[in-house]
Amino acid sequence: MTAELGTPRDRHLFGPGRKRLLALDGGGVRGVISIAFLERMEAVLAERTGGPARLGDWFDLVGGTSTGAVIAGAIALGLTVADLKHFYLRLAPNVFRRPFWRVMGLQAKFDARALRREIEQVVGARTLDSDDLVTGLCIITKRMDTGSPWIIANNSRAPYWETPADRAFTGNRHYRLANLVRASTAAPAYFDPELLPIVDGALHGLFIDGGVTPHQNPALALFLMTTLKAYGLCWPTGPDRLLIVSIGTGLFRTQLSAVEARRIRAIGLAIRALSALIGDGVGLVLALMQWLGECPAPWPVNSEVGDLSGDTLPGGKLFRFLRYDVRLDAPWLADVLDLKLSARDVARVRRLDDHGSLPLAYEIGRRAAELQVKAEHLLPGTPVA
């Protein structure tokens, strides 16, 4: 056991004591909203602990889907939020620049090579088993040739970590981190899929964005990974022993009237339906996590069940759950954040690929973070400010 705890990563994953988990949603350029929450969280922790607070040191596992995987990878490599913000604000305009020769419907909207270059500038040639990862890291992607979500982490106790003697597959530890992050961000129609080697020289898997799994909000997937016996972590449960922080990139409902449906092509209707399905998945995960966990600041799930604060499992709550997010609806932004935006501005912020909306999206996140991120939530027992 002592040898197994020889790195900071393994002390986080396998060491005793309370555990903290950070789950980061997908959302394209709206990931800057998540960064605003992380910035505020880092500042609050630094103030209350009396020194620098690097999130990669504070959390025992960081995981993400799509743009959340990019952010999670950077945190797990020990970047401060200031470094991450600088990287992200440079990444988005470079990546979401549409080449004029792209043929929509026949080619992906953006050139994935630009995305790969930006990712590789941060992670280099590191693999998933790199000791440079200062904490646990989980990346969620979708393997299309088998139809299975991949929830892949730097957990040396997990199945498929090692390459077997018969070399029937490549062990997870050998995957290049840049390839995994790229796979998680391969949003259909936006970027080409990513090929990952499954069997050396014989078989490649076809991977797309993790957002088209049920885990656009990866909080539930990460909780299961840390508690189910198959993964070998078996973290203790209970609000006083497990904290799960989940950060979104903006809630809204994809809506389409009958009149609009008659005006758009079938492919447009399919895209709208997929977007709505992804949003429904986020809502379902939120409902489950608030039902399973103790939530000091719960979100309304819908008008029928409310925020589930009055519902408790027979055995009690399994963890403490914090959800930080914003509603990308004009009335909420005006009433809660005092931001009066036009319908056009709200529509731009909702888009995955409009890098021109980055300053506004960041400001929305910053204002929301000032209201939502509280020391007494992150550090129970801290006096209320």
Side-chain angles (χ1 to χ4, degrees), residues 236-309:
T237 57
D240 59 336
R241 293 185 289 181
L242 177 57
L243 170 68
I244 299 177
V245 180
S246 171
I247 302 183
T249 59
L251 297 168
F252 60 92
R253 289 183 177 178
T254 301
Q255 298 173 313
L256 185 68
S257 69
V259 173
E260 291 173 311
R262 287 195 293 268
R263 292 175 179 170
I264 63 176
R265 293 180 295 174
I267 185 64
L269 180 59
I271 291 171
R272 296 282 190 96
L274 177 60
S275 176
L277 182 62
I278 292 171
D280 291 343
V282 171
L284 177 59
V285 169
L286 177 64
L288 289 171
M289 295 301 287
Q290 293 192 170
W291 179 47
L292 297 171
E294 174 188 278
C295 308
W299 284 79
V301 175
N302 57 43
S303 60
E304 189 171 24
V305 302
D307 61 20
L308 301 176
S309 57

Side-chain angles (χ1 to χ4, degrees), residues 177-220:
L177 190 55
N179 291 354
L180 293 174
V181 173
R182 202 344 237 148
S184 184
T185 59
Y190 290 90
F191 296 105
D192 290 330
E194 179 77 1
L195 290 172
L196 293 180
I198 307 301
V199 181
D200 285 343
L203 175 67
H204 283 73
L206 183 73
F207 289 82
I208 62 171
D209 195 297
V212 294
T213 71
H215 311 303
Q216 168 80 344
N217 174 350
L220 180 61

